Amino acid sequence: MTGPDRIEARRVAVREWMSEAEVDALLVSAAPNVRWLTGFTGEGLLVLGERGALLCTDSRYTVQAAEEAPELEAASDGGHLEQAIARINASGAGRAGFESGHVTYASFQRLQEALEGAEPVGLDDRIKHLRAVKDADEVALIRRAAAVADAAFVELRARIEPGMTEREAAEELRRQMVLGGAEGPSFETIMASGPNGAKPHARPGEREIIEGDLIVIDWGAKVEGYCSDCTRTVMVGEPDERQREVWLAVREAQVAALEGLRPGMEGREIDAIAREVLRERGFEREFGHGLGHGVGLQVHELPTVGQKSENEVPVGAVVTIEPGVYIEGWGGVRLEELVLVTEDGAEVLTLSPYDLQ
Ligand code: ZN
Ligand code: ZN
């Protein structure tokens, strides 16, 4: 549960940005940003003034808004954008910021047309950057999501067997997460067996799992809106030499990055640690994607940890470390941990068993 004080502190941080950007009002329209700043999980927009705030929603959400954001003024008459415009006009704002990445062209035209005293000012998504550093309530929810996902994985491992299809195995994992207290999966589970493992984002299909398969399992749970994200690559039966070699190379790359991670490093520096290990093992070209990404209300958010990521990875960020090797026709190995960045380095939040078999 996120306390009202935490949410108030987030609005204080956003108001500091508003004064830097010299806007008197801010229209927040990205749904995760609205949720982060209010606790409200329905559909709506938020207008932040220098002091007050108005949640613009509709009659479907009146009760929900009062429950989830009791301290906040909410309006539910008329369209969301029209309510927001009316509030900005009534506030006498001279400059009204909006999130330029999250406003349609039609809405922008409407702002230009209907704002009376205020000039609409397109702003970058600073809230997304603020969300990269998690507060204690957010870390607690992500920890819970990770723990639910870990427990579900242990259940799946006891049940998975040759003859099961990928889709059945993925469904079993989803069921276990829900039984364990998740709202649901945080994204569509990847259950890529045998040669399907070569596709980093394979969708679970009708392929039956057979003895000798490596299976890339990438899954996460969602708890109160917060996501977890974890990958294990398991073996059905005894691994052969090649399977063992690839798995160990990926694990070695991952451990190097986990041990080398320090707060304040740029994402690309962390990515380079793992990539260097895979280069030494001859798998550089088989590792096509970035090493990781931030996780929170969204399963992919800031900071990014890829080859081109110049953003710093600060204390309080929650990121994944997920090197992989993908070989067409053979399959793949990916191992992913979710970590909290601390003063000392990385605290691993995902505790699913690691053995290959
Ligand atoms: Zn993942
Ligand atoms: Zn991931």
Short mmCIF file of all heavy atoms in Angstrom, two decimals, residues 186-188 190 200-201 217-220 228-232 293 295 299-300 320 322 334-337, ligand 1:
data_model
loop_
_atom_site.label_atom_id
_atom_site.label_comp_id
_atom_site.label_asym_id
_atom_site.label_seq_id
_atom_site.Cartn_x
_atom_site.Cartn_y
_atom_site.Cartn_z
N SER A 186 2.79 -9.58 -15.11
CA SER A 186 3.14 -8.20 -15.45
C SER A 186 3.37 -8.02 -16.95
O SER A 186 3.49 -6.91 -17.43
CB SER A 186 4.38 -7.76 -14.66
OG SER A 186 5.43 -8.68 -14.83
N PHE A 187 3.43 -9.13 -17.68
CA PHE A 187 3.52 -9.10 -19.15
C PHE A 187 3.25 -10.53 -19.61
O PHE A 187 3.22 -11.45 -18.78
CB PHE A 187 4.90 -8.62 -19.65
CG PHE A 187 6.04 -9.45 -19.13
CD1 PHE A 187 6.54 -10.52 -19.85
CD2 PHE A 187 6.62 -9.18 -17.88
CE1 PHE A 187 7.58 -11.30 -19.36
CE2 PHE A 187 7.66 -9.94 -17.39
CZ PHE A 187 8.14 -11.02 -18.14
N GLU A 188 3.06 -10.72 -20.90
CA GLU A 188 2.76 -12.07 -21.39
C GLU A 188 4.00 -12.96 -21.23
O GLU A 188 5.08 -12.65 -21.74
CB GLU A 188 2.34 -12.03 -22.86
CG GLU A 188 1.73 -13.35 -23.29
CD GLU A 188 1.48 -13.47 -24.80
OE1 GLU A 188 1.71 -12.49 -25.51
OE2 GLU A 188 1.08 -14.55 -25.23
N ILE A 190 6.92 -15.51 -21.47
CA ILE A 190 7.66 -16.15 -22.56
C ILE A 190 8.01 -17.56 -22.09
O ILE A 190 8.58 -17.73 -20.99
CB ILE A 190 8.92 -15.34 -22.92
CG1 ILE A 190 8.51 -13.97 -23.47
CG2 ILE A 190 9.81 -16.11 -23.90
CD1 ILE A 190 9.66 -12.98 -23.61
N PRO A 200 14.13 -14.03 -28.82
CA PRO A 200 14.09 -13.45 -27.47
C PRO A 200 12.68 -13.16 -26.98
O PRO A 200 12.41 -13.22 -25.79
CB PRO A 200 14.91 -12.17 -27.61
CG PRO A 200 15.82 -12.41 -28.76
CD PRO A 200 15.09 -13.33 -29.69
N HIS A 201 11.75 -12.81 -27.87
CA HIS A 201 10.39 -12.49 -27.43
C HIS A 201 9.35 -13.46 -27.98
O HIS A 201 8.24 -13.08 -28.34
CB HIS A 201 10.03 -11.03 -27.75
CG HIS A 201 10.40 -10.10 -26.64
ND1 HIS A 201 9.75 -8.93 -26.39
CD2 HIS A 201 11.35 -10.21 -25.69
CE1 HIS A 201 10.30 -8.34 -25.33
NE2 HIS A 201 11.28 -9.10 -24.89
N ILE A 217 12.27 -19.25 -19.83
CA ILE A 217 11.02 -18.84 -19.15
C ILE A 217 11.23 -17.43 -18.61
O ILE A 217 12.09 -17.19 -17.77
CB ILE A 217 10.67 -19.79 -17.99
CG1 ILE A 217 10.66 -21.25 -18.48
CG2 ILE A 217 9.32 -19.42 -17.37
CD1 ILE A 217 10.48 -22.29 -17.36
N ASP A 218 10.46 -16.49 -19.15
CA ASP A 218 10.59 -15.07 -18.77
C ASP A 218 9.21 -14.64 -18.30
O ASP A 218 8.26 -14.65 -19.09
CB ASP A 218 11.06 -14.27 -19.99
CG ASP A 218 11.40 -12.83 -19.66
OD1 ASP A 218 11.09 -12.38 -18.53
OD2 ASP A 218 11.97 -12.15 -20.53
N TRP A 219 9.11 -14.30 -17.04
CA TRP A 219 7.77 -14.04 -16.48
C TRP A 219 7.87 -13.01 -15.36
O TRP A 219 8.96 -12.70 -14.86
CB TRP A 219 7.19 -15.36 -15.95
CG TRP A 219 7.70 -15.80 -14.60
CD1 TRP A 219 7.02 -15.75 -13.42
CD2 TRP A 219 9.00 -16.32 -14.27
NE1 TRP A 219 7.82 -16.22 -12.40
CE2 TRP A 219 9.03 -16.57 -12.89
CE3 TRP A 219 10.16 -16.58 -15.03
CZ2 TRP A 219 10.16 -17.06 -12.23
CZ3 TRP A 219 11.28 -17.06 -14.38
CH2 TRP A 219 11.26 -17.31 -12.99
N GLY A 220 6.71 -12.51 -14.96
CA GLY A 220 6.69 -11.57 -13.85
C GLY A 220 5.28 -11.47 -13.30
O GLY A 220 4.31 -11.81 -13.97
N SER A 228 7.20 -7.32 -11.52
CA SER A 228 8.50 -7.98 -11.40
C SER A 228 8.84 -8.55 -12.76
O SER A 228 7.98 -8.62 -13.64
CB SER A 228 8.47 -9.08 -10.34
OG SER A 228 7.77 -10.21 -10.81
N ASP A 229 10.08 -8.94 -12.94
CA ASP A 229 10.55 -9.44 -14.23
C ASP A 229 11.74 -10.35 -13.96
O ASP A 229 12.69 -9.94 -13.28
CB ASP A 229 10.95 -8.24 -15.10
CG ASP A 229 11.28 -8.63 -16.54
OD1 ASP A 229 11.09 -9.81 -16.91
OD2 ASP A 229 11.73 -7.75 -17.29
N CYS A 230 11.69 -11.58 -14.45
CA CYS A 230 12.72 -12.58 -14.14
C CYS A 230 12.79 -13.57 -15.30
O CYS A 230 11.78 -13.84 -15.93
CB CYS A 230 12.32 -13.30 -12.85
SG CYS A 230 13.48 -14.56 -12.29
N THR A 231 13.97 -14.07 -15.58
CA THR A 231 14.10 -15.14 -16.58
C THR A 231 14.99 -16.25 -16.05
O THR A 231 16.03 -15.97 -15.44
CB THR A 231 14.73 -14.62 -17.90
OG1 THR A 231 14.00 -13.48 -18.35
CG2 THR A 231 14.71 -15.69 -18.98
N ARG A 232 14.56 -17.48 -16.26
CA ARG A 232 15.41 -18.63 -16.02
C ARG A 232 15.40 -19.47 -17.29
O ARG A 232 14.41 -19.48 -18.03
CB ARG A 232 14.90 -19.49 -14.86
CG ARG A 232 14.95 -18.80 -13.50
CD ARG A 232 16.39 -18.60 -13.04
NE ARG A 232 16.46 -18.02 -11.70
CZ ARG A 232 16.63 -16.71 -11.45
NH1 ARG A 232 16.71 -15.85 -12.45
NH2 ARG A 232 16.72 -16.28 -10.21
N HIS A 293 16.75 -3.07 -18.15
CA HIS A 293 15.82 -1.93 -18.19
C HIS A 293 15.27 -1.71 -16.79
O HIS A 293 15.28 -2.63 -15.96
CB HIS A 293 14.68 -2.23 -19.16
CG HIS A 293 13.99 -3.54 -18.90
ND1 HIS A 293 12.95 -3.66 -18.00
CD2 HIS A 293 14.21 -4.80 -19.38
CE1 HIS A 293 12.55 -4.93 -17.96
NE2 HIS A 293 13.31 -5.66 -18.77
N VAL A 295 12.28 -1.19 -14.01
CA VAL A 295 10.99 -1.86 -13.79
C VAL A 295 10.27 -1.13 -12.66
O VAL A 295 10.90 -0.74 -11.66
CB VAL A 295 11.20 -3.35 -13.41
CG1 VAL A 295 9.87 -4.01 -13.06
CG2 VAL A 295 11.88 -4.12 -14.53
N VAL A 299 6.66 -2.45 -16.95
CA VAL A 299 7.69 -3.48 -16.94
C VAL A 299 8.95 -3.01 -17.67
O VAL A 299 10.04 -3.51 -17.41
CB VAL A 299 7.14 -4.84 -17.45
CG1 VAL A 299 6.97 -4.84 -18.95
CG2 VAL A 299 8.03 -5.98 -16.98
N HIS A 300 8.77 -2.05 -18.57
CA HIS A 300 9.95 -1.42 -19.19
C HIS A 300 9.87 0.06 -18.90
O HIS A 300 8.99 0.75 -19.41
CB HIS A 300 9.97 -1.64 -20.70
CG HIS A 300 10.27 -3.05 -21.08
ND1 HIS A 300 9.39 -3.85 -21.74
CD2 HIS A 300 11.37 -3.81 -20.87
CE1 HIS A 300 9.92 -5.05 -21.92
NE2 HIS A 300 11.12 -5.06 -21.40
N THR A 320 16.74 -4.59 -14.43
CA THR A 320 17.03 -5.99 -14.72
C THR A 320 18.45 -6.12 -15.26
O THR A 320 19.00 -5.17 -15.83
CB THR A 320 16.07 -6.57 -15.77
OG1 THR A 320 16.30 -5.92 -17.02
CG2 THR A 320 14.62 -6.38 -15.36
N GLU A 322 19.96 -8.91 -17.71
CA GLU A 322 19.48 -10.07 -18.45
C GLU A 322 20.24 -10.36 -19.74
O GLU A 322 19.72 -10.17 -20.83
CB GLU A 322 17.98 -9.94 -18.75
CG GLU A 322 17.55 -8.62 -19.35
CD GLU A 322 16.04 -8.59 -19.65
OE1 GLU A 322 15.56 -9.51 -20.31
OE2 GLU A 322 15.37 -7.64 -19.22
N ARG A 334 18.69 -17.29 -21.68
CA ARG A 334 18.68 -15.94 -21.08
C ARG A 334 18.49 -16.13 -19.59
O ARG A 334 17.74 -17.01 -19.16
CB ARG A 334 17.57 -15.07 -21.66
CG ARG A 334 17.49 -13.69 -20.98
CD ARG A 334 16.63 -12.65 -21.71
NE ARG A 334 15.21 -12.94 -21.71
CZ ARG A 334 14.54 -13.43 -22.74
NH1 ARG A 334 15.15 -13.69 -23.89
NH2 ARG A 334 13.24 -13.67 -22.66
N LEU A 335 19.19 -15.33 -18.82
CA LEU A 335 19.06 -15.35 -17.36
C LEU A 335 18.85 -13.91 -16.94
O LEU A 335 19.58 -13.02 -17.35
CB LEU A 335 20.32 -15.92 -16.72
CG LEU A 335 20.66 -17.36 -17.12
CD1 LEU A 335 22.04 -17.75 -16.60
CD2 LEU A 335 19.61 -18.34 -16.62
N GLU A 336 17.82 -13.68 -16.13
CA GLU A 336 17.48 -12.31 -15.78
C GLU A 336 17.23 -12.19 -14.28
O GLU A 336 16.46 -12.95 -13.71
CB GLU A 336 16.20 -11.91 -16.53
CG GLU A 336 15.64 -10.55 -16.14
CD GLU A 336 14.42 -10.14 -16.98
OE1 GLU A 336 13.71 -11.03 -17.47
OE2 GLU A 336 14.21 -8.92 -17.13
N GLU A 337 17.90 -11.23 -13.68
CA GLU A 337 17.63 -10.88 -12.29
C GLU A 337 17.09 -9.46 -12.23
O GLU A 337 17.46 -8.61 -13.03
CB GLU A 337 18.92 -10.92 -11.46
CG GLU A 337 19.58 -12.27 -11.35
CD GLU A 337 18.87 -13.24 -10.43
OE1 GLU A 337 17.63 -13.24 -10.37
OE2 GLU A 337 19.59 -14.02 -9.79
ZN ZN B 1 11.94 -10.50 -18.54
#
